[in-house]
Amino acid sequence: MASPGRTRTAGLFDIRTIIGGLLGVYGVLLTLMGLFGDAEEEKTGGINANLWAGLVLLVVGVAFVAWARLRPVQVPADAGADDA
Amino acid sequence: MVPPPLATTLIDAAPIDYLIVALYFAVVLGIGVVARRQVSDSVDFFLSGRSLPAWVTGLAFVSANLGAVEIMGMSANGAQFGLPAVHYFWIGAIPAMLFLGVVMMPFYYGSKVRSVPEFMRRRFGTGAHLVNALSFALAQLLIAGVNLYLLGSIVHALLGWPLWVALIVAAVIVLSYITLGGLSAAIYNEVLQFFVIVAALLPLTLLGLHRVGGWNGLQDKITAAANANPGTIAPAADQLNSWPGTALTGFSSDFLSVVGIVFGLGFVLSFGYWTTNFVEVQRAMATDSISSARKTPIIGAFPKILVPFITILPGMIAAVYVTEIADLKAGQSVPGGASGDGVTYNDALIYLMRDLLPNGLLGLAITGLLAAFMAGMAANISAFNTVLSYDLWQQYVVKDRADDYYLKVGRLATVAATVIAIFTATLAANFSNIMNYLQTLFGFFNAPLFATFILGMFWKRMTATAGWVGLSAGTLSAVLVAFLSEDAFGSLSTGLIPVSGQGASFVAAGAAFVVDIVLSVVVSLVTKPKPAEELRGLVYSETAREDLVDPAEAGYPWYRRTMPLAGIALVVVVALNFAF
């Protein structure tokens, strides 16, 4: 069993920050592709898919980072605050 | 044999796509490095120090299973059979996941075992344990090889790298993140890849629906295709309604087909898989409390309910929108495909990506597929190293050493397993349909295991001898049924029993279950049971009620308690079965 001392470090790299960061970076890349790249609308049927997907990813990414910032993992073991 | 690099690849990747793939791998390796700083003892390495919240392990629980079979196989099933493929989710997974969370998880978590075979040993002693641990370890090596092969062949098809280069690069990356961070890193990556897969498949599905004119347009096109080729394509009504699913089971009677799906797939096969498969259960054991452990499969059930909409639905769209897949379904053989040996239903998703996604989103979709196959392999290997170091090495080879000795054994086992997987991957490359055989074989293995477990948990009279006798006899009888069926063992089957396809594995699993239960009861009645005090925490009637629940849980709001969540999932899945 984990001792109470170590559960403190369990939140050192919060998974929500990592998810939010990666999705956010992908969002920026896709949004830029949507704005400046070839939208290839003959494939998508007239929708700028990169732009829309990029914007949604950006929102989701920011939401995850915000969640991690606003409700940090609680110390010690009762990790209730971040429990879904 | 190493196939030569393709002159033209199936999909045209641009620099932006490579950048998106590279970013993902940088993050994955980064997680391994950071996770390593936290690993201090063997509980940490193998069970993540039991510190993870339920939503993380719940997503990992689904993700560990969201690998090659799930994504490629289910989109292939969608293209070939249509909606009946949803039975693999709404009948073949959700009820078993809820049962695992509500009934079985308290025993696993409460007994503090590190693996499912270890639970077997505490309940039935070494006979059943050794059988279980050995076959499990072997199975994991073979499945890891299949995952690695699929991963390598997709890289080969998408990026044009030679297969052997793709295999080795993939193996090295999987190896580095597991050895660096253990289960924590594997679980964190599974959660991450879940979001990447959704981000990849959701736009694909939405764009596909847009191009075929929405759900109504899709129905019209499937009906038109079925009417145009009545000889080769199943009637539209069979493709657009999940029940009775005769095309899926191969049974000609509607009634038998429903019975086969509910009992064979829904009860024996799926309960056997979800409740005893350590790759899955291990994720729940990494949580911070018994309440979180129980909620892990139940929280996982919610995304699992929705997965068919981003796997089976794109498959159905590909069957009417992608020329190659539509031609294949109309009975033609089409050259090309990911393997280069002709288009198969497995290629449905890749062709749909090619036809719909602009560069950028394409890179995200490639990343999603690569991530899924890698996670599948990583899950096999991390389960393998736990069972090898604790259930086999510590139990039977070198006993009573310090904890860090077994930790070292675990790391070596991971390296060895990865190298072996490269060989089992080349083995898999020789069999075009090895996935079918592996699945059938593991169905045989899981069905008796589930029978032994469930009887052992609820009947204190069941003896140690009954444990290993039932397990072995159940497996043997399933193998016998496979030999007597038409094609469960390919050309080795004799065809004495007229069942084939999925129907055959349902019948084999059913036989294994019944034989195991009957023999276990008979043997138990003539042998000596274990004393009651050794069964506490292992058998339902010998375990105090307060050992099975988390005292803190009653104080949680309803949306964080086990039973209300399970109830909601059950209602949703029943409603979906009526709707489709």
Side-chain angles (χ1 to χ4, degrees):
Chain A
M1 288 301 289
S3 69
R6 250 198 347 277
T7 53
R8 191 162 303 158
T9 59
L12 195 83
F13 63 122
D14 193 320
I15 182 73
R16 294 169 296 179
T17 314
I18 299 171
I19 295 170
L22 185 70
L23 294 186
V25 171
Y26 282 167
V28 171
L29 285 175
L30 288 188
T31 307
L32 291 176
M33 277 301 283
L35 290 176
F36 305 111
D38 176 6
E40 298 182 74
E41 295 193 355
E42 73 283 3
K43 277 188 183 176
T44 61
I47 294 174
N48 193 336
N50 275 339
L51 181 62
W52 285 108
L55 290 175
V56 172
L57 282 173
L58 207 52
V59 170
V60 175
V62 169
F64 263 104
V65 174
W67 181 22
R69 286 286 141 81
L70 295 176
R71 305 278 296 272
V73 174
Q74 285 188 355
V75 187
D78 182 33
D82 56 2
D83 205 337
Chain B
M1 266 310 293
V2 177
L6 293 178
T8 53
T9 54
L10 207 61
I11 283 186
D12 253 344
I16 176 76
D17 302 318
Y18 286 105
L19 175 64
I20 288 175
V21 175
L23 264 177
Y24 181 79
F25 286 106
V27 171
V28 162
L29 291 178
I31 289 176
V33 172
V34 181
R36 175 169 204 176
R37 302 212 182 110
Q38 301 194 2
V39 174
S40 49
D41 70 14
S42 69
V43 175
D44 255 2
F45 186 72
F46 291 109
L47 290 181
S48 290
R50 293 199 152 185
S51 61
L52 299 171
W55 71 270
V56 168
T57 50
L59 286 178
F61 190 89
V62 171
S63 250
N65 175 256
L66 194 64
V69 192
E70 190 93 345
I71 292 180
M72 306 309 275
M74 287 304 151
S75 57
N77 274 344
Q80 192 172 0
F81 302 116
L83 270 182
V86 299
H87 290 316
Y88 282 97
F89 296 85
W90 298 341
I91 297 294
I94 306 297
M97 289 166 76
L98 299 181
F99 181 80
L100 172 63
V102 171
V103 179
M104 294 181 78
M105 193 53 74
F107 293 98
Y108 284 136
Y109 194 90
S111 59
K112 296 190 176 64
V113 294
R114 279 167 300 201
S115 72
V116 170
E118 189 177 339
F119 185 90
M120 214 62 180
R121 180 176 60 76
R122 303 238 330 248
R123 176 66 182 83
F124 295 117
T126 49
H129 173 254
L130 189 61
V131 172
N132 185 206
L134 280 174
S135 54
F136 180 83
L138 179 68
Q140 291 311 312
L141 287 179
L142 288 172
I143 314 177
V146 173
N147 271 319
L148 184 61
Y149 167 66
L150 286 169
L151 177 61
S153 63
I154 295 297
V155 172
H156 166 71
L158 293 178
L159 306 177
W161 296 358
L163 188 62
W164 67 271
V165 175
L167 280 183
I168 292 174
V169 169
V172 167
I173 292 179
V174 173
L175 179 66
S176 17
Y177 86 66
I178 312 178
T179 44
L180 283 174
L183 186 62
S184 272
I187 288 179
Y188 273 44
N189 278 305
E190 282 162 3
V191 176
L192 191 59
Q193 64 117 347
F194 176 82
F195 288 98
V196 172
I197 287 169
V198 173
L201 294 183
L202 192 61
L204 183 68
T205 311
L206 292 176
L207 284 173
L209 275 179
H210 172 67
R211 292 313 300 259
V212 297
W215 176 241
N216 288 329
L218 179 61
Q219 285 181 311
D220 293 345
K221 286 196 166 60
I222 287 178
T223 310
N227 290 341
N229 300 279
T232 51
I233 299 184
D238 283 2
Q239 293 190 56
L240 294 170
N241 293 294
S242 58
W243 295 102
T246 45
L248 193 72
T249 55
F251 293 149
S252 50
S253 146
D254 284 0
F255 174 73
L256 282 181
S257 178
V258 171
V259 172
I261 290 173
V262 171
F263 183 74
L265 174 66
F267 182 62
V268 177
L269 272 177
S270 100
F271 276 61
Y273 175 81
W274 290 99
T275 59
T276 63
N277 188 321
F278 180 52
V279 178
E280 303 293 340
V281 175
Q282 190 185 29
R283 265 100 201 117
M285 288 159 134
T287 51
D288 53 18
S289 68
I290 203 165
S291 168
S292 293
R294 296 181 74 193
K295 279 183 290 183
T296 292
I298 291 167
I299 289 172
F302 288 95
K304 186 77 181 172
I305 289 172
L306 300 176
V307 167
F309 291 111
I310 55 169
T311 53
I312 294 174
L313 195 55
M316 293 169 69
I317 294 169
V320 293
Y321 185 75
V322 176
T323 324
E324 284 88 347
I325 305 294
D327 287 350
L328 172 70
K329 196 164 176 177
Q332 303 172 24
S333 66
V334 186
S339 61
D341 303 328
V343 175
T344 67
Y345 287 111
N346 287 327
D347 302 326
L349 210 55
I350 297 175
Y351 276 113
L352 195 64
M353 282 160 51
R354 178 200 65 181
D355 286 359
L356 288 176
L357 297 182
N359 288 115
L361 264 182
L362 188 63
L364 196 56
I366 296 173
T367 309
L369 292 184
L370 294 177
F373 300 165
M374 282 198 3
M377 180 179 167
N380 298 140
I381 288 186
S382 64
F384 171 84
N385 75 27
T386 309
V387 169
L388 187 94
S389 38
Y390 285 113
D391 288 295
L392 292 170
W393 200 261
Q394 184 172 22
Q395 186 69 29
Y396 300 105
V397 186
V398 181
K399 297 179 184 178
D400 303 324
R401 294 286 284 269
D403 202 39
D404 59 340
Y405 171 80
Y406 296 104
L407 195 61
K408 210 176 288 168
V409 170
R411 287 192 202 278
L412 282 177
T414 304
V415 176
T418 309
V419 174
I420 294 171
I422 294 178
F423 290 97
T424 54
T426 54
L427 193 71
N430 293 322
F431 298 90
S432 60
N433 55 354
I434 196 167
M435 286 309 303
N436 291 340
Y437 292 117
L438 279 180
Q439 274 206 298
T440 317
L441 289 173
F442 301 148
F444 300 164
F445 170 70
N446 284 335
L449 191 58
F450 172 60
T452 301
F453 254 87
I454 201 76
L455 203 60
M457 265 185 189
F458 289 99
W459 193 40
K460 62 179 177 177
R461 183 74 180 70
M462 187 172 179
T463 63
T465 319
W468 68 264
V469 169
L471 208 53
S472 322
T475 305
L476 287 179
S477 56
V479 172
L480 189 67
V481 171
F483 267 117
L484 298 178
S485 73
E486 280 172 7
D487 60 0
F489 265 156
S491 55
L492 285 175
S493 291
T494 56
L496 272 177
I497 304 176
V499 288
S500 64
Q502 283 299 307
S505 60
F506 297 170
V507 172
F513 185 83
V514 172
V515 168
D516 185 320
I517 294 276
V518 170
L519 265 182
S520 299
V521 170
V522 172
V523 173
S524 290
L525 291 177
V526 297
T527 47
K528 196 170 161 296
K530 285 180 86 162
E533 62 272 18
E534 284 180 24
L535 298 176
R536 194 188 147 117
L538 303 171
V539 175
Y540 189 75
S541 61
E542 301 306 309
T543 307
R545 291 297 158 271
E546 58 269 25
D547 283 5
L548 295 178
V549 291
D550 189 332
E553 185 165 313
Y556 291 169
W558 66 270
Y559 56 87
R560 283 181 49 208
R561 292 206 306 263
T562 308
M563 300 310 285
L565 284 174
I568 294 171
L570 198 62
V571 169
V572 171
V573 85
V574 169
L576 281 168
N577 266 298
F578 277 105
F580 292 99

